[in-house]
Amino acid sequence: MVLSACTGAGGDGFGYGGYSLVRVKEVRVGDNSLAVTPPREWNKISASLFTDIRTVEDWTQNGPYLDGISFVTGLKDGKALVYQRSRDDRQVPKFRSNMTPPEITAIVESLFRVRGGAVDFTTLALTPRPFLGAHGFQYDFEHLDSDEVRRKGRAVGAVIDGKLYLILFDAARSHYYNALLPDFEAIVSSARRV
């Protein structure tokens, strides 16, 4: 389950039922500090469905329980990927600007365990990867959620000027992950800061 399971961002354009269409052209995502070009149309999940965190935006092709891409754009030191109350028993750690890639991936794992209901989470790989002209990382993982659907994911990110930029893809492993991974890679390749 992508970050949309916990949060999302509102959008413009037309749509109904909490979604709006993302066309095949360069679009700004999240807090508008990142632009990407999808290779085909996607559906943007609107803030009317989830609590709005301005630096996070969520897209899906087939619905958030089957696949999704989340954009984290310029997340500042001390901020969280998801909305959470201070009195919540289980917390997703907040981002710190001096975090290493393993520490950032631990936040992602915590997000899936605490907020996404993952009962099993496995890291497949964590490797260096250039992103937005910076020394970034690629994180591949699998998880099994309480709905008994095995999912697979990939996150590509970097800390730039003390802020986190991350694009995360998560989908049902049985079909949707392999079917949509080329879209994710095209979106990551097209990403630029604005």
Side-chain angles (χ1 to χ4, degrees), residues 129-186:
R129 179 174 176 173
F131 182 57
L132 299 173
H135 297 288
F137 62 89
Q138 177 177 305
Y139 178 48
D140 292 294
F141 56 90
E142 285 187 354
H143 57 101
L144 176 67
D145 296 343
S146 57
D147 61 6
E148 299 183 5
V149 175
R150 175 81 46 193
R151 293 181 171 88
K152 192 170 181 180
R154 174 172 287 175
V156 175
V159 177
I160 302 170
D161 298 330
K163 297 177 183 175
L164 177 62
Y165 292 85
L166 182 90
I167 304 177
L168 184 144
F169 171 54
D170 183 65
R173 187 179 73 176
S174 61
H175 167 74
Y176 297 97
Y177 182 83
N178 287 334
L180 294 171
L181 185 61
D183 278 39
F184 171 77
E185 288 297 336

Side-chain angles (χ1 to χ4, degrees), residues 24-44:
V24 180
K25 64 177 186 170
E26 185 176 76
V27 295
R28 290 184 180 197
V29 294
D31 67 353
N32 293 322
S33 66
L34 187 68
V36 298
T37 305
R40 68 172 130 177
E41 293 176 339
W42 278 74
N43 302 294
K44 180 179 175 179

Side-chain angles (χ1 to χ4, degrees), residues 58-106:
D58 301 301
W59 294 2
T60 185
Q61 267 295 316
N62 302 288
Y65 294 103
L66 295 176
D67 62 68
I69 295 178
S70 295
F71 302 91
V72 178
T73 57
L75 187 68
K76 295 178 182 175
D77 186 87
K79 298 295 182 183
L81 288 172
V82 293
Y83 175 78
Q84 51 193 356
R85 295 182 194 102
S86 59
R87 65 178 179 255
D88 289 345
D89 290 339
R90 299 176 67 201
Q91 297 278 323
V92 175
K94 293 180 179 174
F95 167 71
R96 294 184 324 276
S97 61
N98 63 349
M99 283 183 147
T100 63
E103 291 171 321
I104 294 168
T105 61

Side-chain angles (χ1 to χ4, degrees), residues 8-31:
D12 53 359
F14 70 97
Y16 64 94
Y19 296 91
S20 60
L21 186 65
V22 178
R23 298 198 182 274
V24 180
K25 64 177 186 170
E26 185 176 76
V27 295
R28 290 184 180 197
V29 294
D31 67 353

